[in-house]
Amino acid sequence: MRMAHKKGIFRITLQILFSLSLLSACSLSIPSWNIPPSTPPTAINNTQPDLSFTTVTFLTKPPVNGPKGNVTLEILDEVTGLAMNPQRYPMVKNEDGSFQLELLFPVGSVVRYRYLRGDFPYFVEYNSQGEQVRYRMAAINYPLLIEDTISAWTDFRYSGLTGTIKGQVFDSSTKAPFPNALVCVGGIQTLTASDGSFIVENVAEGIHNLVVYSMDGSFETFQQGAVVAANATTIALTPLTPSKFVNVTFVVQTPATGLQGLPVRMVGNLYSLGNIFAEINGGFSNVGARAPLLTNVAENAYAITLRLPSGFDFRYKYTLGDGFWNAEHDSAGGFVLRQLIVPPNDTTITDQVTSWQSGNAGAITFLVSAPNNTPIEDSVSIQFNPYTWTNPLPMWSLGNNQWLFVLYSPLNMFNSLQYRYCRNDQCGYADDLTTSGLGATGYTLVINEESQIRRDEINAWSFWNTTSTPTEIVAPTPLPRLKDFIRGIEISPNYNPTWQPYLFWGMNKIALLKANTTILTPTWSYTNPTTPVFEPVAGKDSLWWDNLQAIQTAQQSQLTVWLYPNLRHSSDIWAETHSDKNWWQNWFERYRTFAIHFADLASQTNTPALILGSPQTAPAYPDGVLPNGKASGVPNDAIERWRSILETVRQRYGGKVGWSLLLTDENPTIPEWVDMVDFLYIQLAIPSLYSSSLSPEERLNQIQDYMDSVLFPIRETTTKPLIIAISPPSTTTQNVLCPDENCLAIETLFPPLSTPEQFSVDIQIQAESYTAFLTAVNERPWIDGVVSQGFYPPAAIQDASSSIHGKSASDIVWYWYSGWSEETP
């Protein structure tokens, strides 16, 4: 049987007020790009309050034994792009070898900066952890002396002594902790956990400026000097003052373009305005689709009201794309970055966009026709490659699968560029078939002073075919299940910030499958395998507000939400045996903080279940084994450590706690501490689920035998409810869960795939695996729930991955979930 999901979607249709003429073909050239010299931003006329200024002195010491040269202070613009709109000021060398510079800044400013050496092209400063300094921060409220120690340069890495800073940030009045505060010190950045704690290791000894900054403006910026001693730990307890929020209405007049109803967005230095506080796709930190749209209130006039923290240094701009593409420019063609020190009372700000264009290059209009089988909920995005692929931008719907985008700026920076199309910002995965793949070559475009029109037709989307034979379901009638039987869909843990604007449709699809539970898989990433350290990393992991939004979005689709936190980038951490007791002490301390973080998130959002453990933590179990078969070196008291972590979680969280186990053979080891949890989350990774050589009958028989001989005894022995999760991929590739040492782990097939061309695609084999598994579950009332893992929420895609989104397997899941929900399929 076949089921088709139909939905409506509201689209804004642009009214074209000009006629588009067909341009003749032009010669093409290889892309090149040129960044013009940076200049301070031009003042923009508006009704903002006058700013008062104060003096700031920067005093920095370069590495004593490092290369010599002039030092330049670089003031950075995170909204446009750190590399794209800097202001650079040569510093004055003192007799002791230090460098000094005095500048004026508006009172209330929070400045992002770093140091450069030599002349253009500069050597950029590096921190003591061997990473390029993203930026330092300074809060400027009065005349200030900022002392910094430069650890290293591009061509000179740090080899000196280091120390550690440990701290906690909390509300100065209530003592409540602040999660996800950005901590900057010594050119190193980290985020606080739910208990407000943070740790910064390998900080160069010396004087540093420590800043704690709220990415959502919930508290006032905190700043203090920090002296780091070698081989010592500096404790930093930082009381923070909660912000008072006011309503600020922005009304902006935009230049006439010949189009009405253009989607004008506001991007800025807040998380809610598209800033993800990390560079992705070409080094930009603003994701256009995450930024809010303004309301078109009159011809070429737009407005938006924001809740902003009083006293906050608000940096922002208006755009038809993101902070770089199609953003506003001044009369000289320079980037505009506006600054508002938010007043203490509600106010209205009136702004004027001078131009969407930069320089004399003509605007380029893209008109594209999408295939008729484009999912109705999807939008088409365009992505540009001036030197590498940058963040995708949503195109403007004309209706009937016709899409428009006009590129105005900054075309003065390039001679040519490449472009391509994709669905829902998922470029590299849900692409125009002609330009598909992460490293694909796009369509080439030469830039000149003449306006251009590009008319393109997308003949097909990669990994998307809706003309295949309808799914035929041959299965018994679903038997009745208890109301609390779990019909779950687990989201892929390979999060990307571009997912966030499209979660609504992903959750809606999950609900239409008759699932009653979605399992979110937020992550922390390993950032230092030698210590070790794992922590939330902006741009890689879903942060506190991302998780809050995802939970709320799922709940709006009438789904129950569970949390199953995972650790990313664990391959390096488990590459060798660890015999150092301090290493294990640090690992268990970090996992305790990790578990507390998500227990607090679950508690604050009334999430009814939290799953701990994962395949990535298995080497830390008693007699732990590394992926290469060697002993992990886990200490003998591992059982007591895990029990202690679970006790701590229980003290902070009153919901159900589950433990994740990956079963790959017939002799699984069940940890002793499962007596402390409420249920077991079994990730079933047996070969019969993945082998393409079995007939349907053989597959069903092997799965039934495994359930009866292995799973049922676990259920009886532990007396714990069993939730069984599976993730069969859509591929006949033979090195998935095979006995060979070159086999791939199942998480390799969680979407999006890093190398999709590596795998042959077979949608039917995945459907057969689900048919066999769910048929076997149907006859075993002692199984308390089932979960489909690896769901890719931003787009339906028929690749080799384990996601069922848009594949035949989703019809199989719908059939069984509908039956078990007591609704007739």
Side-chain angles (χ1 to χ4, degrees):
M1 66 186 297
R2 177 79 172 174
M3 185 192 76
H5 302 309
K6 294 184 178 179
K7 307 178 187 63
I9 183 171
F10 174 76
R11 299 196 185 278
I12 299 175
T13 301
L14 299 175
Q15 301 175 18
I16 302 182
L17 300 183
F18 64 168
S19 64
L20 300 174
S21 59
L22 182 64
L23 296 180
S24 59
C26 57
S27 59
L28 305 181
S29 65
I30 301 299
S32 62
W33 65 294
N34 302 289
I35 297 181
S38 60
T39 56
T42 303
I44 303 299
N45 295 327
N46 53 37
T47 60
Q48 296 183 12
D50 292 335
L51 299 173
S52 57
F53 290 78
T54 190
T55 301
V56 178
T57 301
F58 294 87
L59 179 64
T60 186
K61 296 181 179 179
V64 175
N65 298 321
K68 307 305 178 183
N70 297 327
V71 174
T72 297
L73 178 70
E74 184 178 46
I75 306 297
L76 298 165
D77 169 6
E78 188 173 29
V79 181
T80 305
L82 295 181
M84 293 302 170
N85 190 34
Q87 300 173 47
R88 294 167 180 151
Y89 302 92
M91 302 185 75
V92 177
K93 187 175 183 179
N94 297 321
E95 292 183 359
D96 63 356
S98 64
F99 286 80
Q100 186 169 326
L101 178 67
E102 187 175 285
L103 294 175
L104 286 176
F105 291 97
V107 173
S109 296
V110 176
V111 177
R112 291 157 169 80
Y113 69 98
R114 63 186 171 195
Y115 298 102
L116 309 173
R117 192 191 87 239
D119 300 317
F120 186 86
Y122 301 96
F123 295 97
V124 182
E125 69 162 321
Y126 273 59
N127 61 37
S128 51
Q129 295 182 347
E131 300 169 333
Q132 181 176 298
V133 171
R134 186 166 180 264
Y135 55 70
R136 300 170 180 266
M137 301 182 79
I140 300 167
N141 296 305
Y142 42 77
L144 188 65
L145 170 65
I146 298 174
E147 296 183 80
D148 290 317
T149 301
I150 299 173
S151 300
W153 300 108
T154 308
D155 58 344
F156 176 79
R157 300 306 167 91
Y158 186 74
S159 59
L161 299 175
T162 63
T164 298
I165 299 177
K166 284 187 176 181
Q168 186 176 41
V169 301
F170 54 89
D171 188 311
S172 58
S173 56
T174 67
K175 309 305 179 186
F178 280 106
N180 265 37
L182 178 63
V183 179
C184 296
V185 61
I188 303 169
Q189 297 184 359
T190 189
L191 299 173
T192 60
S194 66
D195 59 0
S197 65
F198 68 90
I199 179 171
V200 186
E201 297 185 321
N202 299 320
V203 182
E205 63 174 334
I207 299 175
H208 300 280
N209 190 43
L210 184 147
V211 174
V212 182
Y213 181 83
S214 174
M215 296 188 290
D216 66 345
S218 59
F219 59 82
E220 297 177 5
T221 302
F222 176 91
Q223 177 174 264
Q224 70 176 20
V227 178
V228 176
N231 303 315
T233 298
T234 300
I235 303 299
L237 298 178
T238 55
L240 305 176
T241 303
S243 298
K244 297 179 180 178
F245 283 78
V246 297
N247 292 320
V248 181
T249 298
F250 296 86
V251 179
V252 60
Q253 189 73 32
T254 63
T257 60
L259 292 171
Q260 283 187 358
L262 284 175
V264 176
R265 298 179 186 268
M266 177 184 281
V267 294
N269 59 341
L270 285 169
Y271 207 71
S272 58
L273 269 72
N275 184 12
I276 62 171
F277 290 84
E279 281 68 59
I280 61 172
N281 294 326
F284 297 99
S285 59
N286 257 283
V287 177
R290 293 176 63 121
L293 285 164
L294 279 70
T295 301
N296 189 192
V297 295
E299 184 175 354
N300 299 322
Y302 296 80
I304 190 172
T305 298
L306 302 177
R307 291 281 291 170
L308 295 176
S310 174
F312 183 76
D313 179 11
F314 183 46
R315 308 293 180 100
Y316 70 100
K317 65 171 66 179
Y318 302 99
T319 181
L320 298 174
D322 58 18
F324 179 73
W325 297 108
N326 267 9
E328 59 175 314
H329 288 260
D330 59 29
S331 57
F335 288 107
V336 170
L337 179 65
R338 300 174 184 270
Q339 180 176 18
L340 171 68
I341 306 301
V342 179
N345 301 309
D346 293 354
T347 189
T348 297
I349 302 296
T350 302
D351 290 325
Q352 173 81 43
V353 173
T354 301
S355 178
W356 296 123
Q357 294 184 263
S358 59
N360 297 321
I364 305 171
T365 299
F366 300 86
L367 283 168
V368 61
S369 298
N372 290 331
N373 70 348
T374 303
I376 191 172
E377 69 273 9
D378 281 8
S379 61
V380 175
S381 305
I382 190 168
Q383 187 179 33
F384 297 109
N385 180 352
Y387 53 96
T388 189
W389 289 114
T390 58
N391 290 330
L393 303 171
M395 297 189 73
W396 313 330
S397 175
L398 299 174
N400 198 29
N401 284 322
Q402 304 298 306
W403 297 83
L404 167 70
F405 190 85
V406 183
L407 181 61
Y408 295 104
S409 62
L411 298 177
N412 61 316
M413 296 178 66
F414 315 111
N415 296 322
S416 63
L417 52 79
Q418 295 178 15
Y419 69 95
R420 65 174 175 179
Y421 304 106
C422 63
R423 294 186 289 126
N424 297 348
D425 283 4
Q426 302 309 298
C427 292
Y429 309 105
D431 299 306
D432 170 6
L433 183 61
T434 306
T435 58
S436 62
L438 291 173
T441 299
Y443 304 108
T444 304
L445 178 69
V446 174
I447 298 169
N448 52 55
E449 294 185 3
E450 306 242 342
S451 296
Q452 303 180 50
I453 300 175
R454 302 301 293 250
R455 287 184 167 89
D456 296 318
E457 180 176 358
I458 302 170
N459 294 316
W461 296 112
S462 62
F463 300 115
W464 188 243
N465 176 20
T466 58
T467 61
S468 58
T469 304
T471 305
E472 181 180 1
I473 300 178
V474 179
T477 301
L479 299 175
R481 287 284 178 172
L482 296 176
K483 187 176 181 180
D484 59 356
F485 181 80
I486 301 302
R487 310 183 306 274
I489 302 291
E490 181 189 300
I491 304 299
S492 171
N494 297 330
Y495 174 81
N496 187 285
T498 60
W499 291 11
Q500 212 69 23
Y502 307 98
L503 284 181
F504 171 80
W505 291 108
M507 296 301 178
N508 189 260
K509 287 287 189 71
I510 291 173
L512 287 172
L513 293 175
K514 299 302 179 181
N516 59 9
T517 303
T518 185
I519 294 92
L520 300 182
T521 53
T523 56
W524 280 14
S525 296
Y526 282 98
T527 56
N528 186 349
T530 60
T531 307
V533 174
F534 45 94
E535 57 192 339
V537 176
K540 295 181 180 179
D541 304 313
S542 56
L543 302 188
W544 190 265
W545 308 286
D546 299 318
N547 296 325
L548 290 177
Q549 184 188 42
I551 291 170
Q552 293 168 359
T553 301
Q555 291 171 343
Q556 289 170 0
S557 295
Q558 306 304 309
L559 293 166
T560 298
V561 179
W562 289 7
L563 292 181
Y564 176 26
N566 281 244
L567 295 173
R568 298 181 77 170
H569 311 297
S570 60
S571 58
D572 290 342
I573 205 79
W574 301 125
E576 59 183 3
T577 299
H578 299 286
S579 56
D580 184 356
K581 292 182 178 179
N582 290 330
W583 190 96
W584 283 106
Q585 179 67 25
N586 289 338
W587 191 93
F588 278 103
E589 284 183 2
R590 291 307 296 170
Y591 192 87
R592 181 185 299 274
T593 302
F594 169 83
I596 287 173
H597 181 87
F598 290 105
D600 289 346
L601 177 63
S603 180
Q604 291 184 27
T605 56
N606 295 316
T607 299
L610 170 68
I611 303 169
L612 297 176
S614 70
Q616 295 82 21
T617 62
Y621 299 168
D623 301 318
V625 177
L626 300 175
N628 60 16
K630 297 181 180 179
S632 65
V634 64
N636 294 330
D637 62 350
I639 295 175
E640 290 74 18
R641 292 172 185 260
W642 283 114
R643 287 189 177 277
S644 175
I645 289 171
L646 285 170
E647 288 174 358
T648 301
V649 168
R650 288 292 197 186
Q651 292 168 2
R652 305 178 75 97
Y653 172 61
K656 293 182 178 181
V657 176
W659 194 265
S660 170
L661 293 172
L662 175 65
L663 302 191
T664 59
D665 56 35
E666 296 183 359
N667 299 297
T669 300
I670 309 302
E672 291 186 24
W673 54 87
V674 299
D675 62 322
M676 299 180 64
V677 302
D678 299 298
F679 64 93
L680 296 180
Y681 191 71
I682 304 294
Q683 298 184 69
L684 201 58
I686 55 177
S688 56
L689 275 174
Y690 298 84
S691 174
S692 60
S693 62
L694 297 175
S695 68
E697 294 78 12
E698 290 172 328
R699 189 185 312 279
L700 176 60
N701 290 336
Q702 289 191 19
I703 292 174
Q704 288 175 326
D705 290 344
Y706 190 89
M707 287 181 173
D708 294 336
S709 62
V710 179
L711 296 185
F712 185 66
I714 293 175
R715 180 70 164 83
E716 285 205 315
T717 302
T718 65
T719 69
K720 301 296 180 183
L722 299 187
I723 312 299
I724 313 300
I726 65 168
S727 57
S730 306
T731 181
T732 55
T733 302
Q734 295 298 311
N735 63 336
V736 179
L737 288 182
C738 56
D740 187 271
E741 63 179 3
N742 295 318
C743 285
L744 300 174
I746 59 171
E747 55 264 29
T748 307
L749 278 302
F750 285 158
L753 302 179
S754 58
T755 54
E757 66 280 355
Q758 177 183 352
F759 306 99
S760 60
V761 178
D762 189 333
I763 301 298
Q764 185 60 29
I765 192 68
Q766 184 188 49
E768 291 177 3
S769 294
Y770 272 97
T771 296
F773 171 72
L774 296 173
T775 299
V777 169
N778 187 52
E779 301 168 356
R780 287 157 179 79
W782 48 267
I783 294 177
D784 301 277
V786 294
V787 173
S788 168
Q789 294 182 284
F791 190 89
Y792 187 55
I797 186 169
Q798 295 170 342
D799 62 351
S801 76
S802 54
S803 176
I804 66 171
H805 191 182
K807 299 176 183 176
S808 300
S810 65
D811 294 340
I812 308 297
V813 170
W814 169 83
Y815 172 82
W816 287 104
Y817 282 14
S818 295
W820 290 331
S821 65
E822 299 182 347
E823 297 180 22
T824 303

